Amino acid sequence: MRINGWGRYPSVDADIFLPQNFADIAQFMQTSATCIPRGLGRSYGDSANHSTVIQSSYLDHYLAFDRITGILTCEAGVSIRTILDMVVPLGWFLPVTSGTSYVTMGGAIASDIHGKNHHSSGTFSEHVLSFDLMLASGEMVTVSRQHLPELFQATCGGMGLTGMILSVTLQLKSIGSGYILQDTYRFSSLEEVCEQFEMNQAATYSVAWIDCLAKGSQLGRSLLMLGEHDTNQEFALPKKKVLNIPMDIATGILNSYSIKAFNFLYYNKSRLQKPHSRLPYTSYFYPLDAISNWNRLYGKNGFVQYQFVIPKESGVTNLRKILTQIVASGKGSFLAVLKKFGKANTNYLSFPMEGFTLALDFQMSQSTVELVKKLDEMIVAMGGKIYLTKDALMSETTFKMTYHAWETFQDVRSRYGAIGKFSSQQSRRLGLN
Amino acid sequence: MVARNQERLDTLFKDLVIRGAAGAHCFCTDLNQVDQHPIIMDEAVKTLGEIDIVLIAHGTLSNQAQCEQSITLALAEIHTNALSVVSLLTPLANQFEAQKKGTIAVISSVAGDRGRQSNYVYGSAKAMLTVFLSGLRQRLNSSGVSVLTIKPGFVDTPMTIAFKKGFLWATPETVATSIVRACDTKSGVLYIPGFWYFIMAIVQAVPEFIFKKLKL
């Protein structure tokens, strides 16, 4: 079967193995060739692409949940969406969530996902108490910060290259409502919005949307959105219909004109809206989940999502340089998201570090490949790096220059027999074999 | 829950309780062992008192080519997919008739609507279920018991792992939602998704002299 990431570029032919229990996986490990674990296929690029994948679809059971302490144990295939459906009415929430709820627990660890609260809560793995991992030998080990700490640091953010995550135990956070109070502020320049991130460190959630097509004096015009969990004990949410994009949209519908129009409306809509609003958590965290298959909007060639982080020092100046480059290319997307990260953790391949991160979509084409190459060079020079979960194009050199702990990562993999057993299209491209 | 694998029953048990089930009880057996059926019935009545809804969902997707070469295998497939269900339904029907309420829901298949060369062993077993349930529905109607015949089309489950999935395929979640709704509304026959009703109406309408030449 043909498989691909959420960006639909690139794709590969794959045999999909769907284990129904841990014993199936142990047997598979002992008898089969190289493979890569796969969850819901929401990584954008090729990190879960391989000729053989172990997909966690049927590992979707809860194993334990303490409603008093909020400690949850479940199999690796359970998604953020499934968990929130169950725990929000009980007053619990995931301590860290990505921008889509279609992410499995295995994927959340392998990507060490971050969210709008990175500045205060760090990454997903920082709330993981332990997880069970199936090694290449078929042996199952329980991994935590105390027990096998190096395997913990290699697996969290390790893109599935150390083994197959079987189950996860994590600490949920207590909330007082299923609703989020959102404050939206408009800024007409990059400098202003970056400064405001600094000023609003105390906000639980903060993220900004940037208009990547605005030029000159308007460069970096943006909306900063701050969020807090409401405390009114209202947990029942309105039922919402999910829209579906039934087929590929013709390439060319999303062009600089349509995106310019969208951006104009989006930016100016906030003039009409109240700056303070109250949203169900689903609309606040996962607006795009309301549209099934939204990736089809980019047509059959797909798209690449590009997310980088650059250090805080001269961050604003450097962001301005990068934005100028993107604006000049005319390829700016309508989903450009800016966030200020807090401190990095010690996982070998985790992405976040203190500084600014920007995520955007580019429709796939030859000129996109060239633009990304140019941007990669700038980011290397600035001491930044590119998020592996979104990446489809980075070169081995760029990777090895920016992920400084890659050799330690390989060292740990080698000790646990993972090299030659777990491999993806991405790991081969990045020279991790 | 009655199933063959104790380990998987344990996992499902924990999962259901965590998701909020008031209680769950498990019984591990292979339903092909029909001599166990009276014991299962006794256990169920002893544990639950009355039975509100029973869902019979076991089966195996037969390998048609192998069945054509093996009498033993062909009969075993018929036993799993039809006779074991008939056996189970016999005491269940009497229990529900005595209760004078409840729902018996059984997963048959669109494959039971007409025999096709690609899977007529499985299809004929499901056809037997469909007819059996149709009769049972009439019999129990006056007792206020509803009998639901569920006819799924292609469903993306471990049973169909080997198949290439396309637009006709449904997810287990969709199928489950439809079954719950049909139990609530006391429906009789349920095609899931609904478009299979029309597909099968066409398949059944094709005259035999044409149908026998088709490669279905």
Side-chain angles (χ1 to χ4, degrees):
Chain A
M1 198 170 123
R2 206 79 194 153
I3 59 165
N4 48 251
W6 187 243
R8 302 170 79 207
Y9 171 87
S11 61
V12 290
D13 270 317
D15 289 328
I16 300 173
F17 173 58
L18 289 154
Q20 293 184 50
N21 53 43
F22 301 163
D24 284 357
I25 306 172
Q27 202 192 358
F28 182 82
M29 293 293 176
Q30 282 151 6
T31 53
S32 75
T34 59
C35 59
I36 192 77
R38 187 177 168 96
L40 283 163
R42 287 289 173 131
S43 286
Y44 286 78
D46 50 2
S47 56
N49 284 6
H50 187 63
S51 51
T52 303
V53 301
I54 317 181
Q55 199 165 296
S56 61
S57 315
Y58 296 133
L59 304 176
D60 59 350
H61 303 101
Y62 292 109
L63 300 174
F65 180 44
D66 186 330
R67 294 178 182 218
I68 311 294
T69 60
I71 294 177
L72 174 75
T73 304
C74 62
E75 291 178 341
V78 179
S79 70
I80 289 180
R81 194 177 187 80
T82 309
I83 293 178
L84 292 179
D85 276 349
M86 180 178 85
V87 305
V88 167
L90 302 170
W92 294 102
F93 203 73
L94 284 166
V96 168
T97 171
S98 43
T100 170
S101 59
Y102 293 104
V103 171
T104 64
M105 289 300 101
I109 291 183
S111 287
D112 199 10
I113 57 167
H114 57 268
K116 300 173 181 179
N117 58 350
H118 184 270
H119 61 284
S120 57
S121 299
T123 64
F124 186 82
S125 73
E126 291 168 49
H127 307 270
V128 169
L129 303 175
S130 70
F131 56 85
D132 284 351
L133 184 73
M134 181 82 62
L135 301 173
S137 60
E139 185 197 347
M140 187 170 100
V141 289
T142 300
V143 184
S144 68
R145 261 174 228 88
Q146 296 74 37
H147 188 240
L148 308 175
E150 289 177 324
L151 196 52
F152 185 91
Q153 291 174 92
T155 304
C156 297
M159 306 311 284
L161 295 168
T162 58
M164 171 89 182
I165 298 163
L166 303 175
S167 65
V168 180
T169 298
L170 72 156
Q171 174 67 60
L172 301 179
K173 79 167 182 179
S174 158
I175 49 168
S177 158
Y179 285 80
I180 298 286
L181 299 171
Q182 178 178 254
D183 291 341
T184 307
Y185 304 100
R186 281 152 45 98
F187 298 105
S188 53
S189 79
L190 191 63
E191 285 70 16
E192 271 180 279
V193 71
C194 288
E195 191 188 307
Q196 286 299 318
F197 270 115
E198 202 74 52
M199 309 275 284
N200 289 287
Q201 285 285 2
T204 307
Y205 300 104
S206 63
V207 71
W209 167 87
I210 284 207
D211 183 350
C212 280
L213 292 170
K215 294 182 186 175
S217 63
Q218 293 204 306
L219 186 102
R221 70 171 180 177
S222 46
L223 301 174
L224 176 68
M225 290 166 270
L226 306 177
E228 298 296 335
H229 289 280
D230 200 356
T231 52
N232 68 341
Q233 300 301 315
E234 187 181 347
F235 293 102
L237 301 179
K239 277 242 178 302
K240 267 181 90 173
K241 272 233 155 44
V242 173
L243 289 173
N244 185 25
I245 309 288
M247 60 185 108
D248 290 344
I249 302 298
T251 315
I253 296 281
L254 280 185
N255 53 39
S256 61
Y257 297 103
S258 61
I259 294 174
K260 227 174 232 169
F262 173 88
N263 284 2
F264 176 81
L265 291 172
Y266 194 81
Y267 182 71
N268 286 294
K269 148 186 117 147
S270 65
R271 275 183 210 273
L272 311 171
Q273 275 180 342
K274 284 184 227 144
H276 309 291
S277 54
R278 185 166 172 277
L279 303 169
Y281 78 85
T282 44
S283 319
Y284 179 77
F285 289 104
Y286 318 113
L288 281 172
D289 285 355
I291 309 168
S292 294
N293 301 308
W294 66 261
N295 53 351
R296 288 177 177 161
L297 285 171
Y298 282 96
K300 67 172 172 14
N301 295 337
F303 68 103
V304 291
Q305 163 117 169
Y306 191 71
Q307 182 173 358
F308 63 85
V309 59
I310 51 171
K312 194 170 76 166
E313 294 73 38
S314 10
V316 185
T317 327
N318 285 336
L319 262 183
R320 178 167 276 277
K321 282 186 201 156
I322 296 169
L323 267 181
T324 310
Q325 182 77 45
I326 294 169
V327 169
S329 77
K331 295 184 74 76
S333 65
F334 64 122
L335 295 160
V337 171
L338 178 70
K339 159 96 197 138
K340 186 164 181 290
F341 277 152
K343 294 230 178 314
N345 60 34
T346 58
N347 301 332
Y348 307 133
L349 298 190
S350 282
F351 169 68
M353 63 179 198
E354 195 157 26
F356 292 99
T357 182
L358 183 68
L360 8 85
D361 304 337
F362 299 121
Q363 195 155 25
M364 190 56 204
S365 69
Q366 192 48 44
S367 58
T368 292
V369 176
E370 282 150 26
L371 173 65
V372 165
K373 208 170 153 198
K374 228 177 272 171
L375 295 174
D376 279 2
E377 283 165 19
M378 296 174 76
I379 285 148
V380 172
M382 292 167 185
K385 57 181 165 175
I386 288 126
Y387 191 14
L388 296 177
T389 301
K390 313 260 173 111
D391 157 59
L393 296 169
M394 193 188 342
S395 71
E396 179 175 345
T397 323
T398 303
F399 169 71
K400 290 182 174 172
M401 283 173 75
T402 53
Y403 281 81
H404 306 297
W406 74 271
E407 281 164 306
T408 320
F409 177 70
Q410 284 297 76
D411 203 44
V412 175
R413 283 185 74 209
S414 146
R415 260 187 282 147
Y416 288 95
I419 293 178
K421 185 72 191 180
F422 302 104
S423 170
S424 65
Q425 209 174 355
Q426 179 183 52
S427 76
R428 289 189 296 281
R429 175 164 52 78
L430 301 180
L432 286 175
N433 285 309
Chain B
M1 283 182 298
V2 181
R4 281 182 293 174
N5 182 325
Q6 186 64 52
E7 190 195 340
R8 301 206 64 209
L9 271 176
D10 293 343
T11 308
L12 276 172
F13 171 81
K14 274 188 257 177
D15 185 63
L16 287 174
V17 171
I18 293 168
R19 284 175 195 261
H25 305 278
C26 303
F27 192 101
C28 186
T29 184
D30 186 335
L31 287 169
N32 271 323
Q33 294 172 346
V34 292
D35 55 338
Q36 293 284 306
H37 291 185
I39 304 172
I40 299 171
M41 272 307 298
D42 287 350
E43 266 307 300
V45 174
K46 209 167 66 192
T47 318
L48 303 167
E50 287 181 332
I51 305 173
D52 297 327
I53 300 175
V54 62
L55 173 65
I56 302 180
H58 69 275
T60 50
L61 190 58
S62 320
N63 183 316
Q64 176 65 29
Q66 284 173 13
C67 285
E68 287 166 13
Q69 300 308 319
S70 161
I71 297 172
T72 319
L73 184 62
L75 295 183
E77 290 295 341
I78 299 284
H79 192 272
T80 306
N81 290 303
L83 300 183
S84 71
V85 185
V86 169
S87 163
L88 204 51
L89 283 173
T90 303
L92 271 171
N94 296 334
Q95 167 71 24
F96 276 84
E97 194 171 37
Q99 287 178 193
K100 293 200 179 316
K101 62 175 182 188
T103 300
I104 298 175
V106 181
I107 299 193
S108 180
S109 171
V110 294
D113 282 5
R114 194 164 190 180
R116 291 169 297 119
Q117 59 178 326
S118 58
N119 74 341
Y120 62 85
V121 173
Y122 176 78
S124 59
K126 289 299 193 182
M128 181 176 185
L129 283 190
T130 300
V131 174
F132 188 93
L133 291 166
S134 161
L136 190 61
R137 181 156 42 246
Q138 272 195 336
R139 173 186 151 199
L140 296 181
N141 185 54
S142 57
S143 310
V145 175
S146 64
V147 175
L148 171 63
T149 309
I150 303 155
K151 295 184 182 178
F154 302 133
V155 187
D156 190 355
T157 67
M159 188 167 98
T160 53
I161 274 178
F163 289 73
K164 210 177 154 146
K165 314 292 188 286
F167 67 98
L168 287 176
W169 287 76
T171 63
E173 288 75 14
T174 317
V175 173
T177 310
S178 303
I179 292 175
V180 171
R181 198 183 314 120
C183 287
D184 288 347
T185 56
K186 301 197 181 301
S187 313
V189 179
L190 172 70
Y191 284 86
I192 324 178
F195 60 73
W196 281 99
Y197 173 83
F198 299 101
I199 296 178
M200 294 321 292
I202 295 166
V203 170
Q204 284 173 299
V206 177
E208 197 62 37
F209 74 93
I210 297 175
F211 195 76
K212 71 179 180 188
K213 294 177 187 158
L214 300 179
K215 297 237 178 316
L216 281 173

